[in-house]
Amino acid sequence: MKETDREAVATAVQRVAGMLQRPDQLDKVEQYRRREARKKASVEARLKAAIQSQLDGVRTGLSQLHNALNDVKDIQRSLADVSKDWRQGINTIESLKDVKDAVVRHSQLAAAVENLKNIFSVPEIVRETQDLIEQGALLQAHRKLMDLECSRDGLMYEQYRMDSGNTRDMSLINSYFGSTQGLSDELAKQLWMVLQRSLVTVRRDPTLLVSVVRIIEREEKIDRRILDRKKQTSFVPPGRPKNWKENMFKILDKTVITRIEGTQADTRESDKMWLVRHLEIIRKYVLDDLIVAKNLMVQCFPPHYEIFRNLLSMYHQALTIRMQELASEDLEANEIVSLLTWVLNTYTSTEMMGNVELAPEVDVSTLEPLLSPNVVSELLDTYMSTLTSNIIAWLRKALETDKKDWIKETEPEADQDGYYQTTLPAIVFQMFEQNLQVAAQISEDLKTKVLVLCLQQMNSFLSRYKDEAQLYKEEHLRNRQHPHCYVQYMIAIINNCQTFKESIVSLKRKYLKNEVEEGVSLSQPSMDGILDAIAKEGCSSLLEEVFLDLEQHLSELMTRKWLLGSNAVDIICVTVEDYFNDFAKIKKPYKKRMTAEAHRRVVVEYLRAVMQKRISFRSPEERKEGAERMVREAEQLRFLFRKLASGFGEDADGYCDTIIAVAEVIKLTDPSLLYLEVSTLVSKYPDIRDDHIGALLALRGDASRDMKQTIIETLEQGNTQVNPNYVPIFREIIVPSLNVAKLLK
């Protein structure tokens, strides 16, 4: 305490010292004293209030403890009284055991008396119940069955209460009512038969179906009551719980499965369209059944049965199982298409689950797929593999059939525009079209894959087509009399190339809808090049046919016979025109190229005759006559090919101008101007070689050896500017094995 006082005094001294640090603060001593007095009084008041509150709490606590002590004493006295009464009542309870047994026996006897009438009439009730079941009076039969079961269960329960271990009496009661279980089973069979035909019954006699549902609902209530009593007594009558509601849904489920499986009426051996028929019957049956269930059956069942939702689930599950079974079979390509089309499209379409009569209860977006993605993928892989083999076989067969037509004695058919053609393009693209239409029914992705496959196989097919056309040409060259209609069928082959190109473009345009798919198609090997090569080879073979017939007449050019008045060019023109009358059956793009090529080759052959030194002019008169004849024949050829090329919109006169240009060199009378004329010729036709010039000068027959040498050497030193648009014409003209030195002699 003293230590506390000392600390208080020290604190006060320190506080006063802080207040009186300056002289002028002495005037405020009284003011400071009053302020401190107020603070002291406030602190003392708070302290007194706190102490008073604590004292009140202690007083209340002591009062409650005192009351609790009194209560404990009262409880002790009461427990002592209860203990005394309990010890006295033990003897009394033991003396009432006989009364208890008597009560139990009285209860059993009362139950027996109560059921006495039923007990004696059990055989009669059994017979009546059996008759009612056979007559189809199911509700009345079930009422009597309930009475029998109630009597049996009541007696067995009382026996169980009296002596649960007495199995002999329990067996005796159960044996006496033994027919009851048989009646229950028989009634159940009748109920299940009605449920198996529920979709038919609900249309013809919905009352019968309602009766069945009422019986099942009664049994469910009895099952619940017995199970509740079991929790208290552990007693369960024989045959309980029946679970008829659960069994009802099992029966319906089996019925649905059997109905789905029973729709297959045919096999592949008896009908190629067995799967299509099977799936169509399933679609019709399922749709009809669900519509009946939605409109009629829901009215016969309590709402909590959710009969439509359950039936929908059963049908969906049964269909899933059936589709998986079908998918596991060794299906052909067309059967895979039928199955996938049905599973992926038909099932959710308005023709089935999406039908307006099933809305809004059926939401197709919530239905699980009938086949897993893996199974669908496996089926698609199998389909693509089978389709690949089929397409290869179909294309091979189509080509073999077309080849047989090539050797016919009759001309090929013409299209509406009069152009020769065979049926090959139509057969090929009809096959492609059919497969693409089928694939499009399944999915866009499969459609794209099938199109890519068709284009790939088309590419391989065209290579075989090209080889066969080449063999056809070679076979004809071995014997030009066979086949009889070689020219006509070669024209048809050429025209087929154009048809193929147009059909490929049409196919892509029809079945490629977006840029991504277009990119896929563009990645495929281009077939235009192969088709152009086939057509080019065909045109070349036809021109070979022409020039084989012209060979004799071309050999007369630039000979003495020609100079003296040969009609070789007349025959050449007539022959070419005659052939081109047949070539009028060639489609325009290829005929245009063929006409230009024929023009070029005739001119090349004419120039080749010039360069072969078949004649050497002996005088200016001969040179003049020969040159003028060359000009006339060039104009004759120009007229012919203008006529043949009419309507093509192109001018190919330049080829004949080459003959005229060469004729000008031959016609020149002043040898001193020969170099100038030759240089002009070389500038116009830069592919002219030295041997060409030597042969041309040799043809004139008047150029000296030195002049020839000078002209050739001078031309070799000059730089000739080549026109980028120039088409070489002298390049393929080979001067006979007579070297330049010999030509210069």
Side-chain angles (χ1 to χ4, degrees):
M1 192 66 179
K2 291 181 180 180
E3 182 65 28
T4 304
D5 291 342
R6 281 197 297 273
E7 289 179 1
V9 170
T11 302
V13 170
Q14 185 179 4
R15 185 174 180 80
V16 170
M19 293 179 181
L20 302 176
Q21 291 180 355
R22 298 190 304 277
D24 60 327
Q25 291 178 327
L26 293 174
D27 296 337
K28 300 179 180 178
V29 169
E30 185 61 27
Q31 181 180 349
Y32 291 155
R33 187 184 65 77
R34 287 196 299 273
R35 186 174 66 185
E36 293 301 321
R38 286 195 300 273
K39 289 183 178 180
K40 179 181 177 184
S42 174
V43 171
E44 288 177 349
R46 290 199 300 273
L47 184 59
K48 287 178 181 180
I51 292 173
Q52 183 63 41
S53 175
Q54 292 294 327
L55 289 174
D56 290 342
V58 171
R59 189 180 297 110
T60 302
L62 290 173
S63 175
Q64 291 176 349
L65 287 172
H66 180 70
N67 293 335
L69 181 60
N70 292 334
D71 292 340
V72 169
K73 290 179 180 179
D74 291 340
I75 292 171
Q76 286 178 340
R77 286 193 294 272
S78 298
L79 287 173
D81 294 340
V82 169
S83 179
K84 181 179 177 182
D85 293 341
W86 177 72
R87 283 193 296 271
Q88 291 176 353
I90 290 176
N91 296 330
T92 304
I93 293 172
E94 290 178 354
S95 64
L96 292 176
K97 185 176 183 302
D98 295 337
V99 177
K100 177 184 177 184
D101 294 340
V103 169
V104 172
R105 283 195 297 274
H106 179 272
S107 176
Q108 289 176 335
L109 292 171
V113 170
E114 183 179 351
N115 292 287
L116 192 60
K117 181 180 179 181
N118 289 338
I119 291 172
F120 285 122
S121 60
V122 164
E124 182 182 353
I125 296 175
V126 169
R127 285 193 299 273
E128 291 177 357
T129 306
Q130 185 67 45
D131 292 340
L132 289 170
I133 292 174
E134 292 175 357
Q135 295 168 12
L138 303 182
L139 276 177
Q140 295 90 324
H142 185 250
R143 173 56 62 188
K144 291 188 176 293
L145 177 62
M146 288 173 61
D147 292 341
L148 288 172
E149 290 180 339
C150 184
S151 298
R152 179 198 64 183
D153 297 347
L155 290 173
M156 295 185 75
Y157 176 64
E158 293 301 333
Q159 177 61 36
Y160 182 84
R161 286 177 58 196
M162 182 180 72
D163 186 3
S164 60
N166 190 345
T167 57
R168 188 180 66 83
D169 290 347
M170 294 287 280
S171 299
L172 180 63
I173 297 171
N174 192 30
S175 176
Y176 185 75
F177 286 90
S179 300
T180 304
Q181 186 60 43
L183 289 174
S184 178
D185 294 341
E186 184 64 28
L187 179 62
K189 288 182 181 179
Q190 295 298 319
L191 300 182
W192 306 152
M193 289 176 62
V194 173
L195 287 171
Q196 287 171 353
R197 300 192 301 268
S198 56
L199 290 167
V200 177
T201 304
V202 75
R203 300 184 223 192
R204 297 179 180 176
D205 188 7
T207 306
L208 179 59
L209 184 59
V210 172
S211 298
V212 171
V213 176
R214 287 178 62 188
I215 292 171
I216 293 173
E217 191 65 11
R218 285 178 187 171
E219 290 294 337
E220 284 296 301
K221 290 179 181 178
I222 296 172
D223 281 349
R224 287 195 295 270
R225 186 170 65 248
I226 288 175
L227 291 176
D228 290 341
R229 187 173 66 182
K230 177 186 176 184
K231 296 176 183 177
Q232 301 173 358
T233 64
S234 300
F235 173 73
V236 179
R240 291 288 179 182
K242 292 185 178 180
N243 296 323
W244 278 8
K245 179 181 177 182
E246 180 181 341
N247 291 337
M248 177 197 76
F249 282 113
K250 289 181 180 178
I251 292 297
L252 288 174
D253 191 34
K254 290 181 181 178
T255 303
V256 169
I257 292 173
T258 303
R259 185 161 174 78
I260 296 299
E261 291 177 347
T263 54
Q264 183 175 342
D266 302 300
T267 61
R268 183 182 295 121
E269 290 73 21
S270 61
D271 187 353
K272 291 294 184 182
M273 300 295 290
W274 68 276
L275 184 57
V276 174
R277 296 181 187 278
H278 181 39
L279 295 173
E280 176 58 21
I281 293 172
I282 289 177
R283 183 199 66 78
K284 187 176 184 304
Y285 280 13
V286 171
L287 179 60
D288 291 346
D289 291 353
L290 289 177
I291 290 174
V292 170
K294 176 177 179 288
N295 296 330
L296 299 178
M297 285 189 70
V298 292
Q299 301 175 21
C300 301
F301 288 79
H304 65 273
Y305 275 50
E306 296 184 317
I307 188 64
F308 181 74
R309 184 184 65 81
N310 281 298
L311 277 174
L312 176 63
S313 176
M314 292 174 192
Y315 273 101
H316 183 75
Q317 186 61 30
L319 287 173
T320 299
I321 294 171
R322 184 57 184 154
M323 294 305 114
Q324 290 173 346
E325 290 174 351
L326 291 173
S328 64
E329 295 185 13
D330 187 16
L331 298 177
E332 297 178 355
N334 62 316
E335 294 168 351
I336 292 175
V337 168
S338 298
L339 180 63
L340 290 178
T341 302
W342 197 92
V343 167
L344 300 178
N345 299 324
T346 304
Y347 183 61
T348 55
S349 70
T350 56
E351 296 179 359
M352 198 169 178
M353 291 304 187
N355 193 282
V356 292
E357 293 192 51
L358 297 179
E361 285 79 358
V362 178
D363 183 1
V364 294
S365 63
T366 62
L367 294 175
E368 293 293 325
L370 295 177
L371 293 176
S372 67
N374 289 337
V375 175
V376 172
S377 178
E378 290 175 3
L379 286 174
L380 289 176
D381 290 343
T382 303
Y383 173 71
M384 290 299 294
S385 176
T386 306
L387 182 62
T388 301
S389 302
N390 289 345
I391 288 178
I392 292 173
W394 291 333
L395 290 174
R396 184 178 294 113
K397 183 177 180 181
L399 182 54
E400 290 299 323
T401 303
D402 204 56
K403 283 169 55 182
K404 292 178 181 177
D405 291 342
W406 297 352
I407 58 176
K408 285 183 176 179
E409 297 294 324
T410 57
E411 294 184 356
E413 296 179 357
D415 63 11
Q416 65 272 17
D417 296 320
Y419 298 121
Y420 284 140
Q421 63 176 6
T422 67
T423 57
L424 183 63
I427 292 173
V428 169
F429 282 92
Q430 183 180 9
M431 176 188 64
F432 287 168
E433 187 82 23
Q434 290 173 351
N435 284 286
L436 284 165
Q437 288 175 357
V438 167
Q441 294 175 5
I442 298 176
S443 68
E444 287 295 312
D445 182 58
L446 180 63
K447 181 194 73 176
T448 303
K449 289 181 179 179
V450 171
L451 178 59
V452 171
L453 172 63
C454 291
L455 295 177
Q456 289 173 338
Q457 295 305 322
M458 185 67 187
N459 197 60
S460 302
F461 167 76
L462 291 178
S463 296
R464 294 196 299 272
Y465 190 52
K466 179 181 178 183
D467 294 340
E468 293 296 339
Q470 181 65 26
L471 291 174
Y472 183 56
K473 166 190 169 183
E474 293 172 0
E475 183 69 24
H476 172 71
L477 290 178
R478 282 193 286 270
N479 180 4
R480 293 188 63 205
Q481 303 303 316
H482 181 80
H484 180 71
C485 295
Y486 169 78
V487 171
Q488 289 81 358
Y489 277 100
M490 185 57 73
I491 291 172
I493 292 172
I494 295 169
N495 288 339
N496 285 349
C497 294
Q498 182 65 21
T499 305
F500 276 128
K501 291 173 75 172
E502 294 170 354
S503 299
I504 291 169
V505 171
S506 174
L507 206 64
K508 290 180 180 180
R509 186 182 299 116
K510 183 174 181 179
Y511 289 100
L512 294 178
K513 301 300 181 184
N514 55 49
E515 295 179 359
V516 175
E517 292 179 335
E518 186 67 30
V520 171
S521 78
L522 291 175
S523 67
Q524 302 304 314
S526 173
M527 287 163 280
D528 287 352
I530 299 177
L531 289 168
D532 286 341
I534 295 172
K536 184 177 180 181
E537 288 292 330
C539 291
S540 296
S541 67
L542 291 177
L543 288 179
E544 280 186 40
E545 194 75 7
V546 175
F547 281 91
L548 284 173
D549 286 350
L550 296 181
E551 187 173 340
Q552 176 184 352
H553 308 292
L554 289 171
S555 64
E556 290 185 12
L557 298 177
M558 309 309 295
T559 62
R560 282 289 165 187
K561 181 180 178 181
W562 168 80
L563 184 62
L564 294 174
S566 169
N567 60 350
V569 172
D570 296 333
I571 297 174
I572 290 172
C573 290
V574 170
T575 304
V576 170
E577 187 172 8
D578 182 58
Y579 267 102
F580 268 83
N581 287 333
D582 291 337
F583 297 164
K585 303 290 186 177
I586 300 176
K587 290 186 176 180
K588 191 171 182 179
Y590 299 123
K591 184 183 177 185
K592 176 180 177 182
R593 297 176 202 169
M594 193 171 177
T595 304
E597 178 63 15
H599 190 177
R600 189 191 69 82
R601 284 191 62 177
V602 167
V603 171
V604 167
E605 292 300 327
Y606 196 103
L607 293 174
R608 182 177 283 114
V610 172
M611 301 299 173
Q612 286 183 343
K613 200 189 175 186
R614 297 173 181 172
I615 187 175
S616 179
F617 296 120
R618 300 169 182 170
S619 64
E621 289 75 16
E622 282 190 359
R623 286 193 290 275
K624 180 180 179 183
E625 183 181 351
E628 289 176 349
R629 188 174 185 84
M630 288 175 65
V631 171
R632 288 197 304 273
E633 291 176 346
E635 292 297 335
Q636 191 175 351
L637 293 174
R638 189 199 307 273
F639 176 80
L640 169 65
F641 285 103
R642 277 181 178 177
K643 179 180 178 182
L644 296 179
S646 62
F648 294 153
E650 286 194 6
D651 182 15
D653 290 349
Y655 293 136
C656 292
D657 288 342
T658 309
I659 298 175
I660 296 174
V662 170
E664 291 298 325
V665 174
I666 296 173
K667 184 179 179 181
L668 187 68
T669 56
D670 187 356
S672 63
L673 299 177
L674 193 58
Y675 167 74
L676 182 61
E677 195 69 35
V678 172
S679 63
T680 302
L681 181 67
V682 172
S683 64
K684 289 180 65 176
Y685 306 101
D687 60 323
I688 291 182
R689 301 187 301 273
D690 293 349
D691 53 350
H692 294 143
I693 297 173
L696 185 58
L697 294 177
L699 177 65
R700 278 182 57 87
D702 66 338
S704 65
R705 184 174 183 278
D706 293 339
M707 181 185 295
K708 296 176 185 178
Q709 187 73 31
T710 303
I711 292 173
I712 292 174
E713 290 177 354
T714 306
L715 290 174
E716 286 178 349
Q717 295 173 3
N719 288 326
T720 304
Q721 298 294 328
V722 180
N723 186 342
N725 297 322
Y726 173 70
V727 179
I729 193 168
F730 286 93
R731 180 181 298 170
E732 59 185 278
I733 299 175
I734 299 175
V735 177
S737 56
L738 185 66
N739 59 34
V740 176
K742 291 182 179 180
L743 289 172
L744 295 176
K745 291 180 180 179

